[in-house]
Structures are given as C-alpha cells and as structure tokens.
Amino acid sequence: MSSKGYKLLSLLGSSVHTDDVDELERTQRALLDETIPGLCFSPYMEGQKPGDQLSAEQIRMRMEIIAPYTKAVRSFSCTEGNELIPQIAKDYGLRTLVGAWIGENRETNEKEIAGLINLAKKGFVDVAAVGNEVMLRKELSEDELIFYIKQVRQELPAHIPVGYVDAYYQFEEHPRIAEACDVILTNCYPFWEACPLEFSLPYIKDMYRRAQKAGKGKPVIITETGWPNIGTAFHGAIPSRENAIKYFNDVLSWVKEEGIELYYFSSFDETWKIEKEGDVGAYWGLWDKNGIYKY
C-alpha cells in the first residue's frame, strides 16, 4: 500500500469503457489469457501471516495456478521460505523481481540482504529490489537505505538491475535514492489517493510519468497497482467487483499498448492484510484466498 494522506484527487480526465458487465468480464479474461506482464505473488494461506514459515508445497500449489497467466512474479522477502518463491518460479519459466524486506531491525536486514545476494548469484533473480516502502513508513534514513542499495549493487552481477520500491512521489522527494538505483520500482495506487474509478487511468499515467521524470531516463517498472473488489470506500475510491474489473482492463490495456513493465497487485486475497489496511486489505487478489478466480 502506498498512501499519501494529504494528497487526494488532483488530475482531470476519465477512462473510456463499457458498462456492460458481461463485456467487461470477457475483456478481462482475454487480457488474462494473453498473459499479463507480472503478478505480485501472495504466498500466505488462510491463517498465515508474515513471520510464519512458508513451505515449498504451498508455494508450488499457488504458482501452478497463476503460471499460465503471467510472464513474471514479484516476491517481497528472502527469508522464512520466501526465498523459495523465485526458485520455484524459475521452474515454471517465469521472470522474477525479488525483494529484500528491510526495516528498523538491522539483524533482519542483514539476513534479507544476504538472502537476496545469494539468490541472485545462483541465477534466480532478474531484478533485485532492496526494500519496499521503508521511506513511506519512515523505518530507515535516506543514508541507511542508500547504503543497502549500494551494498547489493556491489555484490550482484552487473546484468541484474538493482532498485528500491516505493510510491512514485518518494523518488521525487528523495532524488539521491533515485540516483542510487539502476531502475525505478514504483507503486502506483490511484485507490489509495482517493481517486474515483472514472479518473483512475489518467491518474496512474500521471504517476508513471512523474516516476519517469524522477528517474531521469532510468527504466521504470510499476511494481504494484490494483483495485479491491470488496471493502470500505476510501473517500471517492469505491471497492466493487465492477470497479475492480474496469481498473484491471484499463491498466492492462494501457501497459500492453505502451510496453510498460508492470506487476499487478495481487495474485491472491490474503486475510492477514485486514489488520493494517482495514476490511479492504483482504480483497486485492485476482484469485480468492482459496485459489478460485474471482472474475
């Protein structure tokens, strides 16, 4: 989640699409069947949460479901079984964006960084992400984060791009971080900036262009975007099945047309997210918590 509390809707324009639900569903299924650029991989089963140990069996079971519909997967950690995700993804011929989950705990950070470097040297990493929204959460200083980015860059083979994941505006506000990255890895959520669905396509386009500008010519990957189908509205942003389908169709059509690399959030619903994001947190998946396709 990337939210800037004081920044609400500020971009005019609207997406154009049909209101015929059957046609929306057919379009979404066609986009999915063509394979989407990437998916954020949700490994936790019902009753699990970060901190629990993941098994190869559960990862493989979920990978089996999504592999026919995506070209790549994004993982968020390199410990507690998460390190198995990119290894199993490679068994299915998928590209990987692999993240080290870092924050206030230095010991954990060292384990995560070591895990990322190890996976990369073994050939399981196509893009390396050092941290996810730590500036947004104010868990590290700018200097501390840059130190970790440079540490990973020094250890990894030159052909593996190294970046950091955060909301697009964090790269505007922290140009030194953008400078330290090979690639700008940006989370873009019109929903969390209270943007009504009808304005969400031009809104995310503006987010992407701003990330491009902050990167000064570096490649930009959208590492998260999505729309929940159930939950409490966030100002003008309303969760619903129809809105979730419309958003998916608009965004996927756009990135495929322009050749933009994207990881859609998310693959599966995960109930544990309710604790931090409220009821809406559990309903961002294309598949439900039991692995059933929702649309």
Side-chain angles (χ1 to χ4, degrees):
M1 178 180 73
S2 59
S3 174
K4 193 170 189 177
Y6 62 84
K7 186 180 186 305
L8 302 181
L9 179 63
S10 62
L11 182 69
L12 298 179
S14 64
S15 57
V16 179
H17 43 56
T18 179
D19 287 322
D20 184 297
V21 176
D22 289 339
E23 186 174 341
L24 287 169
E25 290 175 348
R26 286 194 296 271
T27 299
Q28 186 188 48
R29 190 67 204 203
L31 287 166
L32 189 69
D33 287 341
E34 290 171 6
T35 69
I36 62 179
L39 272 173
C40 294
F41 188 72
S42 310
Y44 298 103
M45 309 294 283
E46 185 68 1
Q48 289 184 318
K49 62 184 183 303
D52 293 339
Q53 186 68 29
L54 302 173
S55 70
E57 180 182 12
Q58 73 182 86
I59 292 169
R60 193 171 296 278
M61 180 177 67
R62 288 203 155 180
M63 198 72 70
E64 182 81 23
I65 293 170
I66 68 170
Y69 305 105
T70 186
K71 298 175 183 177
V73 293
R74 177 190 171 199
S75 55
F76 293 75
S77 168
C78 292
T79 62
E80 298 171 342
N82 286 281
E83 68 275 10
L84 300 174
I85 295 172
Q87 299 177 56
I88 292 172
K90 288 298 180 183
D91 291 341
Y92 290 88
L94 301 176
R95 284 177 51 81
T96 59
L97 193 163
V98 182
W101 190 271
I102 59 176
E104 296 174 329
N105 189 308
R106 290 181 179 274
E107 183 178 348
T108 298
N109 293 350
E110 290 173 4
K111 292 178 181 178
E112 288 280 347
I113 294 295
L116 177 59
I117 292 170
N118 179 57
L119 286 168
K121 288 183 175 180
K122 290 181 177 179
F124 297 116
V125 179
D126 292 299
V127 181
V130 184
N132 181 73
E133 296 186 343
V134 296
M135 299 306 294
L136 181 72
R137 296 191 301 271
K138 304 185 188 308
E139 292 177 343
L140 290 176
S141 70
E142 188 176 89
D143 286 341
E144 287 171 327
L145 175 59
I146 290 172
F147 170 81
Y148 286 125
I149 294 171
K150 289 183 174 180
Q151 179 184 355
V152 173
R153 175 65 283 163
Q154 185 176 2
E155 292 288 335
L156 262 57
H159 71 276
I160 300 175
V162 176
Y164 160 68
V165 178
D166 215 323
Y168 65 99
Y169 53 81
Q170 292 289 344
F171 296 100
E172 296 174 323
E173 296 173 1
H174 301 279
R176 290 178 59 231
I177 293 175
E179 178 63 27
C181 295
D182 300 325
V183 58
I184 305 300
L185 306 175
T186 180
N187 293 345
C188 299
Y189 282 107
F191 181 90
W192 287 120
E193 293 191 10
C195 180
L197 186 280
E198 60 266 29
F199 303 111
S200 60
L201 181 59
Y203 204 101
I204 189 175
K205 288 182 178 181
D206 183 60
M207 292 171 158
Y208 179 74
R209 303 308 176 203
R210 288 170 63 179
Q212 283 186 309
K213 185 176 180 181
K216 297 180 179 179
K218 293 180 179 181
V220 176
I221 298 173
I222 298 176
T223 39
E224 291 180 35
T225 195
W227 199 277
N229 67 302
I230 295 174
T232 302
F234 186 66
H235 302 280
I238 301 172
S240 74
R241 184 176 188 277
E242 184 174 329
N243 283 353
I245 295 174
K246 286 180 177 179
Y247 186 77
F248 179 91
N249 291 356
D250 281 347
V251 170
L252 266 294
S253 296
W254 164 55
V255 300
K256 287 189 175 188
E257 180 180 341
E258 296 202 17
I260 294 169
E261 192 169 352
L262 167 144
Y263 289 80
Y264 203 79
F265 190 88
S266 187
S267 46
F268 299 92
D269 286 345
E270 291 181 305
T271 305
W272 69 268
K273 294 179 182 291
I274 291 175
E275 183 178 341
K276 292 188 176 181
E277 298 180 20
D279 58 355
V280 73
Y283 300 104
W284 291 80
L286 295 175
W287 286 263
D288 70 13
K289 64 183 182 181
N290 298 313
I292 306 301
Y293 188 66
K294 289 158 55 174
Y295 305 107

